Amino acid sequence: RGPHFDGHHFVSQAVECGAAGLLVEEEIDCEISQIVVNDTYQALSQYASWHRRQFSPKVIAITGSCGKTTTRSFVENIFSGMGKKVLATEGNLNNEIGVPLMLLRLTAEHEYLILELGANHAGEIARLAAMVCPDVGIITNAAAAHLEGFGSLLGVAQAKGELFEALNSFGVAVINADDEYRDYWKSLVKCSMTTFGCVAGADIRADLDNQKGGNFMMKGGGVEAIAISLPLLGRHNVYNALAASAAAVALGVHPAAIKQGIEQTSPQRGRLVEQSALRGAVVIDDSYNANPGSVKAAIDLLSERCGKQILVLGDMLELGDSAAELHKAVGVYAAKSGIDSLFLYGELSVHVARGFGAAACHFSDQASLIRALRNALSDDAVVLIKGSNGMKMNKVVAAMLPQTQ
């Protein structure tokens, strides 16, 4: 049972689709076998936890405010590129329902299990990590996301730190050396640790001062520097690549295999995917989700592009009492970054407009935004579109593409 739906109402469809049995909280009037329990979520979790312990893959768990999916993709490609059998998180199966479902797909043939652990309230990562029993834990960063559930940025860092507390004495904690909560996370670790970042002391590091396009030099790991050609847009993806590399190095992977895995990673849908748009414009689809940290990273990327820079933002959701202030700060950041035009949609994005200034265009409905944005397209325009999932900014992306004329 969830906040919006009750699975018991869908039993007949499940039976029609070939379900062999039911796990329910109340007996259902049908002919197939049923197991009746007090709490179906708890039963699912216990079953998944038991199932996980029937096998012994190397388990890498990844959490953080931004970059979980991209880091998971890098790690997955590193090991699959080595010919290993890998099971990794699919879609958005990274929560208290999705993680058990992923665990139940584990079989004896899988050598590596790579899972994203998402959370929107304290204690959730601890429960998921206890279920997953990871060998390596990665925290990508802590940023202002899901503040309604965590209360503050410190609350976010503490929640992510639950992953390190779950590692046993033989585990490895992978820590972002550039994050302001690095020392807090280090204090939680009771096993080996390794760090990644751009500071001199990081175990796996990159020098972004000399970065050109997607190319950077990865250093550390006891080997000579390696040239990496990053296939994804944005400097923040360098950090995701470093996080994946640090985990791989900790597991004894050769640098050549790390380089190959990273360079063969494709962008995920809705995450900084560049496409040709109407009137010769370029659209960068970053519509999958948004929080202040990821929006600022997107602004950094857009500000480096030649031509007319157009930023299109929908509301950033689940920011609690700080929502207005955080939205305004994004507008200020966009203005200081020299973004040419700002198109906004949603109630909270009014505050982005206030931070950006008079040149911002705010729309109360998506259809109006789409009409205005189409008129603003030209062959020298680069349009980056972003917003929280609930704002459905992917529809704005679709409306800018040639097939929608």
Side-chain angles (χ1 to χ4, degrees), residues 339-375:
I339 300 302
D340 297 313
S341 300
L342 186 58
F343 287 71
L344 302 163
Y345 163 61
E347 295 179 6
L348 290 169
S349 63
V350 170
H351 301 288
V352 181
R354 290 171 181 162
F356 189 80
C361 301
H362 181 269
F363 301 86
S364 57
D365 64 273
Q366 204 173 77
S368 298
L369 180 147
I370 288 171
R371 285 193 296 271
L373 184 56
R374 279 185 171 220
N375 290 332

Side-chain angles (χ1 to χ4, degrees), residues 72-393:
R72 186 265 301 158
S73 294
F74 283 138
V75 177
E76 180 180 0
N77 285 333
I78 288 169
F79 288 107
S80 61
M82 296 166 58
K84 305 297 184 181
K85 295 292 185 180
V86 177
L87 176 64
T89 296
E90 296 179 8
N92 59 354
L93 296 179
N94 66 2
N95 59 16
E96 292 184 314
I97 300 296
V99 170
L101 294 178
M102 285 305 309
L103 288 175
L104 291 173
R105 300 181 187 183
L106 187 62
T107 68
E109 73 169 1
H110 292 121
E111 300 170 89
Y112 289 87
L113 175 62
I114 305 162
L115 296 177
E116 300 172 42
L117 306 186
N120 56 23
H121 57 269
E124 192 170 359
I125 295 294
R127 288 191 292 274
L128 295 177
M131 200 185 306
V132 168
C133 204
D135 299 293
V136 178
I138 302 172
I139 299 180
T140 59
N141 49 50
H146 301 297
L147 293 183
E148 284 182 348
F150 297 127
S152 66
L153 189 54
L154 174 59
V156 173
Q158 291 171 334
K160 305 307 178 186
E162 293 168 10
L163 175 57
F164 289 160
E165 293 179 291
L167 294 172
N168 61 40
S169 59
F170 300 103
V172 180
V174 180
I175 300 173
N176 185 341
D178 292 359
D179 194 283
E180 65 175 295
Y181 290 100
R182 60 190 177 276
D183 291 334
Y184 167 70
W185 289 327
K186 288 179 180 179
S187 73
L188 303 177
V189 176
K190 300 179 179 64
C191 57
S192 299
M193 71 175 78
T194 187
T195 59
F196 67 93
C198 297
V199 295
D203 297 315
I204 301 296
R205 59 193 181 276
D207 182 1
L208 294 189
D209 291 337
N210 299 317
Q211 184 194 11
K212 294 183 179 180
N215 302 316
F216 68 96
M217 297 298 294
M218 186 178 77
K219 306 173 183 178
V223 297
E224 293 183 5
I226 307 168
I228 303 286
S229 181
L230 192 67
L232 308 182
L233 299 174
R235 285 191 170 193
H236 59 289
N237 277 321
V238 173
Y239 280 87
N240 298 330
L242 292 174
S245 300
V249 167
L251 292 173
V253 178
H254 191 276
I258 294 173
K259 172 182 170 67
Q260 175 180 297
I262 290 173
E263 293 185 343
Q264 292 183 352
T265 300
S266 301
Q268 298 285 313
R269 184 178 180 181
R271 292 178 169 91
L272 294 174
V273 178
E274 186 169 314
Q275 302 177 74
S276 297
L278 298 169
R279 300 182 182 177
V282 171
V283 164
I284 301 174
D285 177 7
D286 201 26
S287 61
Y288 179 77
N289 217 339
N291 60 49
S294 66
V295 171
K296 288 179 180 178
I299 290 170
D300 290 341
L301 169 66
L302 181 60
S303 69
E304 295 176 353
R305 297 297 293 260
C306 297
K308 183 169 63 175
Q309 302 161 354
I310 302 176
L311 180 62
V312 184
L313 290 180
D315 290 352
M316 300 177 292
L317 305 177
E318 299 184 55
L319 294 180
D321 294 338
S322 301
E325 177 186 348
L326 291 169
H327 278 78
K328 183 178 179 181
V330 162
V332 171
Y333 191 82
K336 288 182 177 179
S337 300
I339 300 302
D340 297 313
S341 300
L342 186 58
F343 287 71
L344 302 163
Y345 163 61
E347 295 179 6
L348 290 169
S349 63
V350 170
H351 301 288
V352 181
R354 290 171 181 162
F356 189 80
C361 301
H362 181 269
F363 301 86
S364 57
D365 64 273
Q366 204 173 77
S368 298
L369 180 147
I370 288 171
R371 285 193 296 271
L373 184 56
R374 279 185 171 220
N375 290 332
L377 296 181
S378 60
D379 61 5
D380 66 337
V382 180
V383 184
L384 193 147
I385 302 174
K386 191 168 181 63
S388 283
N389 245 327
M391 300 305 294
K392 302 187 185 306
M393 299 303 286

